[in-house]
Amino acid sequence: MRKLIAVLTLAVATVALAPRSVAAQEADCTKNYVSCLNDSYQLSGWLQTLADLECFAEYTGCVTREIMKA
Amino acid sequence: MRKSILLPLLLTACSGDGEEATYHLVPDFADRATPVTCAPADLGEVAIEELRAATDTSFVVLDAAQRRVTEFSDDLRAIWSLEYDEYGPAAVDRPVSAALLADSAVAIVARGGLKLVILGRDGRLIHAERLEFVPHAVAATGDELLITAVPMGGSPGSLLFRFSGGAMEEVAVPPREYADMLVGALGNQAAVETLADGDALVVHRLLAPRAFRVAADRATVASVPLPTPDATAERIPFVPRAPVTAAQSGDMLVPALAVSVDRSRDEVYLLTRSGREVDGRWQRAILRADDHLGFLSAYTLDAMAVHMAILPRRRAALVGDALDRIYLCRLDADTHAE
């Protein structure tokens, strides 16, 4: 689980450093993901881990929806 | 007179991650597929999270915006509808998939809380539990549920779980390996559908044309080559690099936007991209196959569908687009037989 948290943190950094030319819809996915992670930061322990997982799952779903619309 | 589509070619190719992959390329797919004009259909106000065939004469809409699961008859009349709770033990938060259990219950898997919730059609809570994985899709057969998982950071080690008799157990359907966690999550989202004989199909929705047939005992899992439009072949090796953006979506393979099964005829329908670009977007196609995914026939649609439920009695596909517009697409299943 610690490895997962580290990987999630890296994923956030990657997303946050994405080029500013990213499309508006993707920016929404990213923005929502970062906002979600900020909210989960209020929690602690396994609740925070669960919340982080949910944030990542939502981000994955958001990106998937954008891909499938094309 | 229609030309029959040539026998599909079986090719073996290596993915960008070095895995052996098999798939059927359907030659001249877009040219030989039957063009279908889809007619607008009215289900009232719906926001489609999932559109799913239920029986031979009905389908289910999971509407996350209205917190509602509705079964419709294939003449588009609502048969029953359930509004689920936002809070409390029976709450469902950010659902992704629903399946009908026998005649009396509905199973919903949700990202919020990573939950499985089983409700009676009167909204009564039957069972709720936290999952050890992020769920993607659920299917039901008898009293058993099959749930596909989205692996994150290498966990879980299988794409499929079985819930029966109150117990959750892993079914050995291997995820595809990717170096990047987000790409791995995207590429391992899989649809699951049950077949008339009790077997199940697990089909990847993005990136790799990859499918598995899971025997009714859930102990035997076999890779099944997925029929794939030939014009999309050059996209098969493509693996996006993080950060994944929609700009890369044109390079991605989308093997199955949706999967739907006609159990009365043992046929499987895949909603996919034909490989042709129309007005800057990828044309949609429906690929009809037998229950071992042997190609039978193909149809191209004039609707930009992202959801699909097959309506066996009407020999039609009900599809929904990203703006929740619904269309009925009549399919001629008697042509292009192999």
Side-chain angles (χ1 to χ4, degrees):
Chain A
M1 193 56 75
R2 280 185 189 166
K3 177 186 170 186
L4 187 56
I5 293 169
V7 174
L8 277 171
T9 305
L10 184 60
V12 171
T14 302
V15 163
L17 291 171
R20 292 203 175 267
S21 57
V22 68
Q25 298 93 334
E26 292 144 23
D28 284 344
C29 293
T30 305
K31 184 176 130 184
N32 292 341
Y33 181 35
V34 174
S35 173
C36 184
L37 287 174
N38 283 339
D39 289 343
S40 74
Y41 192 71
Q42 314 293 326
L43 304 169
S44 60
W46 70 271
L47 281 174
Q48 185 183 51
T49 304
L50 176 62
D52 286 346
L53 267 175
E54 291 178 29
C55 292
F56 188 74
E58 282 301 302
Y59 176 65
T60 304
C62 185
V63 173
T64 300
R65 276 192 295 276
E66 294 309 314
I67 292 168
M68 291 196 168
K69 278 184 204 173
Chain B
M1 177 175 295
R2 292 188 196 282
K3 294 181 185 176
S4 61
I5 295 180
L6 295 174
L7 287 173
L9 303 173
L10 179 65
L11 294 178
T12 302
C14 289
S15 73
D17 289 297
E19 181 194 77
E20 289 288 319
T22 59
Y23 44 86
H24 290 286
L25 276 185
V26 181
D28 301 320
F29 179 95
D31 287 332
R32 294 171 186 265
T34 304
V36 173
T37 300
C38 301
D42 184 16
L43 296 182
E45 289 285 324
V46 287
I48 306 170
E49 185 65 36
E50 187 187 53
L51 173 63
R52 195 84 175 273
T55 68
D56 292 345
T57 57
S58 72
F59 61 94
V60 169
V61 175
L62 172 61
D63 183 338
Q66 297 189 71
R67 313 189 56 77
R68 189 172 288 281
V69 177
T70 305
E71 184 179 11
F72 290 85
S73 64
D74 62 2
D75 56 1
L76 312 187
R77 289 179 300 107
I79 301 171
W80 62 266
S81 191
L82 157 67
E83 188 172 337
Y84 50 81
D85 292 341
E86 190 172 3
Y87 303 105
V92 176
D93 176 23
R94 287 164 286 162
V96 290
S97 182
L100 300 189
L101 271 167
D103 291 328
S104 59
V106 58
I108 306 172
V109 290
R111 289 198 190 109
L114 305 184
K115 276 176 81 174
L116 162 66
V117 178
I118 301 175
L119 303 171
R121 292 192 188 181
D122 56 0
R124 159 185 60 97
L125 176 64
I126 295 173
H127 181 79
E129 71 177 68
R130 188 185 309 284
L131 301 168
E132 297 293 318
F133 51 86
V134 175
H136 183 70
V138 62
T141 179
D143 290 330
E144 175 194 57
L145 293 177
L146 295 172
I147 305 170
T148 55
V150 183
M152 302 209 171
S155 178
S158 174
L159 292 182
L160 187 67
F161 286 78
R162 171 180 185 251
F163 180 76
S164 180
M168 187 76 68
E169 57 185 25
E170 198 172 284
V171 179
V173 178
R176 190 170 192 245
E177 290 186 12
Y178 293 91
D180 179 81
M181 187 166 121
L182 173 59
V183 175
L186 290 173
N188 280 301
Q189 293 175 102
V192 59
E193 289 290 340
T194 58
L195 301 170
D197 62 1
D199 288 4
L201 280 176
V202 175
V203 182
H204 283 250
R205 300 183 71 198
L206 287 180
L207 302 184
R210 194 171 184 259
F212 294 88
R213 189 178 175 113
V214 182
D217 63 5
R218 308 304 176 220
T220 309
V221 177
S223 173
V224 182
L226 194 69
T228 304
D230 59 334
T232 66
E234 63 184 14
R235 308 191 194 295
I236 292 172
F238 177 74
V239 179
R241 302 293 176 199
V244 178
T245 65
Q248 299 180 63
S249 69
D251 294 321
M252 293 182 201
L253 190 74
V254 183
L257 286 154
V259 181
S260 196
V261 173
D262 176 358
R263 292 175 193 83
S264 66
R265 299 184 180 91
D266 290 329
E267 291 180 350
V268 179
Y269 291 77
L270 303 168
L271 176 67
T272 186
R273 292 174 176 170
S274 71
R276 265 192 188 151
E277 205 168 340
V278 177
D279 297 328
R281 297 176 74 184
W282 297 106
Q283 183 188 48
R284 300 309 197 243
I286 292 176
L287 201 151
R288 173 176 153 259
D290 63 30
D291 64 350
H292 285 81
L293 298 182
F295 176 75
L296 294 175
S297 63
Y299 313 86
T300 51
L301 309 183
D302 61 351
M304 292 303 296
V306 297
H307 305 285
M308 178 183 69
I310 204 71
L311 305 180
R313 185 173 65 172
R314 297 188 67 172
R315 290 185 177 253
L318 192 74
V319 303
D321 69 9
L323 298 177
D324 298 318
R325 293 177 297 205
I326 310 293
Y327 302 89
L328 188 70
C329 310
R330 297 193 185 279
L331 308 178
D332 182 354
D334 293 325
T335 60
H336 304 291
E338 291 300 311

